[in-house]
Amino acid sequence: MRKNTIDIITLGCSKNLVDSERLIRQLELNGYTVTHDSENPQGEIVVVNTCGFIADAQEESVNMILELCQAKEEGRIRQVYVMGCLSQRFMKELGHEIPQVDKFYGKFNWTELVADLGKVYQKDRQYERRLTTPKHYAYLKISEGCDRHCAYCAIPIITGKHQSRPMEDIIAEVEHLVGEGVKEFQIIAQELTYYGIDLYGKQRIAELVERIADVKGVKWVRLHYAYPMNFPWELVDVMRRKKNVCKYLDIALQHVSTKVLTNMQRHVTKEETYALIERLRNELPGIHIRTTLMVGFPGEGEAEFEELKEFVRWAKFDRMGAFAYSEEEGTPAQKKFNDEVPDEVKQKRLSELMELQQEISASVQAEKVGQVMKVIIDRKEGEYYVGRTEFDSPEVDPEVLIPIADGQLRRGSFYNVEIIDSDDFDLYGCVKR
């Protein structure tokens, strides 16, 4: 093991990643060498930032903790610490079941780790981060928690009520990151459109996005995790006026059947969902909508699933993910409903839905052949430079592949690329010189 070295392993979503990046910076300020997501941790200390959202994520987190505890027993690691959503939710149970862990922290008290290591947490630099992403883009977390209380979701149990960050703090962080070379910001929150209600008494997401877009050096702003009820239409006006706000919106719809949506406690109907998508596309032509859907929630019979497929055919989502419902302890759904849809039916429906989306995605991508699109380069991989358009978020969306033979390109730079081919998800292009 390498002395004075700490490995941090991040599991789960980009919101967790931001917390890890802040912790890394605090540890570096205190003289540690920190590595992130190493396949072979060699530091004397390892910190696992866990996910507790659904059963598969919980299992992945527990397996990682057990693996590291084994390494500790074999003398390859001196200390193991655990933080994040899983330990926030099940701290007492984990402490009892895995006593080899030196200490468990929750979602918000991980700052105590610095003091427990005998170091000083520098609060005046709390929003500084050491980016683990390519230096030209960053995730920007604008709030914690959620007040929506969807029946299937454990997030409010884990993170508590919605807490918006003060707007001035966010803008200061953007200015700092731009100074570090960041050009592209993925705006993230558990629920983006709720921003400001707790601090200012009203939705202020549109004002915040406009102010971020006005910071000199910000080239792209992309919006994640909006909510369909009480959608703030002034946000679309900002997207229309500000050229550096991408025509991209990630809005998790979950389902379309009014029956299922009611069971989910989503407070929106089928008719309102159709109207929302139609209005978004009418008011902002060219917008790319990303959504997430769920199959197998209690109340979803064959008729409701057919409603969902018909909706997907009609909406032709530019980007779509889906997952099967899993019952989560302590949620309203777990208390109120029986998990009545058999697992094999859930998986069959999930496969059907994703096969349908694959066809739609292929059609959406094929329509771009012949267009010249602005592309940012993320990396070099094999025989290609790999980049993204404004319609593609890192990690989750399609990419643009440009042959290395096309000439030397710089990571983090923008190029005009002519799209010459496509497959089900990705695009292929050449630089327009």
Side-chain angles (χ1 to χ4, degrees):
M1 66 181 75
R2 294 183 301 207
K3 290 196 173 184
N4 215 40
T5 299
I6 296 178
D7 285 282
I8 293 183
I9 297 171
T10 304
L11 304 173
C13 68
S14 53
K15 294 181 284 295
N16 267 10
L17 187 66
V18 171
D19 293 338
S20 291
E21 291 175 343
R22 288 175 58 199
L23 176 58
I24 291 171
R25 182 59 178 149
Q26 288 288 329
L27 293 170
E28 289 179 336
L29 289 170
N30 280 284
Y32 286 102
T33 299
V34 186
T35 62
H36 184 258
D37 277 354
S38 171
E39 291 185 6
N40 181 29
Q42 295 180 352
E44 58 181 346
I45 298 170
V46 180
V47 182
V48 187
N49 191 353
T50 58
C51 179
F53 181 46
I54 58 175
D56 287 349
Q58 294 168 20
E59 183 179 359
E60 180 187 19
S61 293
V62 170
N63 288 341
M64 177 59 70
I65 296 167
L66 292 173
E67 183 180 319
L68 293 168
C69 287
Q70 179 67 30
K72 179 185 173 182
E73 290 180 357
E74 294 171 357
R76 292 184 284 121
I77 294 169
R78 185 165 61 84
Q79 294 173 306
V80 176
Y81 295 97
V82 176
M83 60 184 276
C85 292
L86 186 73
S87 54
Q88 176 76 29
R89 189 176 178 192
F90 300 115
M91 190 174 296
K92 190 175 294 184
E93 295 89 338
L94 288 168
H96 177 72
E97 294 292 333
I98 318 178
Q100 302 95 320
V101 170
D102 290 271
K103 188 170 179 179
F104 289 91
Y105 302 87
K107 176 71 177 166
F108 304 108
N109 71 333
W110 55 263
T111 55
E112 296 172 11
L113 170 61
V114 181
D116 289 341
L117 293 174
K119 305 297 183 180
V120 178
Y121 179 79
Q122 300 188 30
K123 193 170 183 180
D124 60 330
R125 304 178 75 169
Q126 63 180 313
Y127 292 120
E128 290 187 18
R129 295 147 58 186
R130 198 254 276 168
L131 296 181
T132 58
T133 56
K135 67 178 184 178
H136 55 274
Y137 73 78
Y139 295 97
L140 184 69
K141 183 160 57 170
I142 65 171
S143 66
E144 290 280 10
C146 187
D147 286 2
R148 294 298 187 184
H149 299 288
C150 301
Y152 52 82
C153 186
I155 293 298
I157 301 171
I158 298 169
T159 63
K161 293 180 69 64
H162 181 101
Q163 297 179 58
S164 302
R165 284 179 58 192
M167 199 174 297
E168 297 305 325
D169 285 1
I170 296 170
I171 299 303
E173 183 178 3
V174 171
E175 292 172 343
H176 172 79
L177 288 169
V178 168
E180 296 289 313
V182 175
K183 302 174 182 179
E184 175 187 356
F185 290 86
Q186 326 297 331
I187 312 301
I188 58 173
Q190 194 59 43
E191 208 284 71
L192 194 80
T193 49
Y194 204 88
Y195 177 80
I197 289 178
D198 55 319
L199 278 186
Y200 309 114
K202 63 179 180 178
Q203 292 170 302
R204 291 184 67 177
I205 183 63
E207 179 184 347
L208 174 64
V209 171
E210 183 158 17
R211 288 189 61 181
I212 292 170
D214 285 341
V215 174
K216 187 176 180 181
V218 173
K219 303 300 184 184
W220 275 353
V221 179
R222 194 175 288 104
L223 306 175
H224 282 275
Y225 318 128
Y227 192 85
M229 186 181 74
N230 297 330
F231 186 83
W233 290 102
E234 61 271 21
L235 180 61
V236 175
D237 181 58
V238 173
M239 297 171 77
R240 186 186 303 111
R241 289 188 290 105
K242 296 294 181 179
K243 300 302 181 186
N244 58 348
V245 178
C246 300
K247 291 183 177 179
Y248 176 106
L249 184 66
D250 187 339
I251 181 166
L253 297 173
Q254 306 301 354
H255 215 280
V256 76
S257 162
T258 298
K259 175 185 174 182
V260 177
L261 289 169
T262 300
N263 286 355
M264 287 179 169
Q265 298 180 184
R266 292 287 285 177
H267 308 292
V268 68
T269 66
K270 175 179 181 176
E271 292 73 23
E272 289 167 338
T273 304
Y274 271 88
L276 172 70
I277 299 303
E278 189 167 30
R279 183 174 173 186
L280 281 169
R281 286 180 167 155
N282 285 340
E283 293 202 8
L284 193 61
I287 187 174
H288 278 48
I289 299 172
R290 176 177 181 83
T291 196
T292 306
L293 301 173
M294 184 190 299
V295 299
F297 191 79
E300 184 192 70
E302 288 300 327
E304 289 76 22
F305 181 59
E306 287 300 322
E307 282 186 81
L308 184 60
K309 288 198 295 183
E310 181 58 34
F311 175 57
V312 170
R313 292 188 192 98
W314 172 83
K316 293 184 172 61
F317 291 109
D318 306 276
R319 284 83 177 90
M320 190 197 89
F323 62 102
Y325 169 69
S326 65
E327 187 175 79
E328 292 300 315
E329 182 182 337
T331 59
Q334 187 257 340
K335 296 173 183 177
K336 187 175 180 180
F337 301 110
N338 292 321
D339 190 2
E340 59 191 28
V341 182
D343 286 343
E344 59 270 22
V345 174
K346 291 178 185 176
Q347 292 305 316
K348 179 177 179 293
R349 291 177 183 174
L350 182 61
S351 296
E352 275 189 56
L353 202 63
M354 292 313 298
E355 286 172 11
L356 176 57
Q357 178 59 27
Q358 185 171 345
E359 296 174 9
I360 293 167
S361 177
S363 174
V364 168
Q365 297 297 78
E367 290 175 1
K368 294 171 182 169
V369 174
Q371 295 183 29
V372 176
M373 307 184 77
K374 186 178 179 181
V375 171
I376 191 168
I377 302 299
D378 282 340
R379 66 188 186 278
K380 186 190 291 187
E381 192 173 282
E383 298 179 355
Y384 293 97
Y385 290 104
V386 182
R388 292 172 291 107
T389 73
E390 70 171 288
F391 309 119
D392 307 308
S393 196
E395 304 293 337
V396 295
D397 287 333
E399 296 174 314
V400 182
L401 283 69
I402 304 163
I404 289 175
D406 203 35
Q408 188 169 358
L409 307 181
R410 294 179 58 189
R411 187 164 76 165
S413 292
F414 292 93
Y415 297 89
N416 290 322
V417 174
E418 182 178 0
I419 306 303
I420 57 175
D421 199 4
S422 68
D423 58 26
D424 288 348
F425 296 103
D426 295 328
L427 299 173
Y428 298 82
C430 58
V431 175
K432 191 81 172 173
R433 303 190 188 277

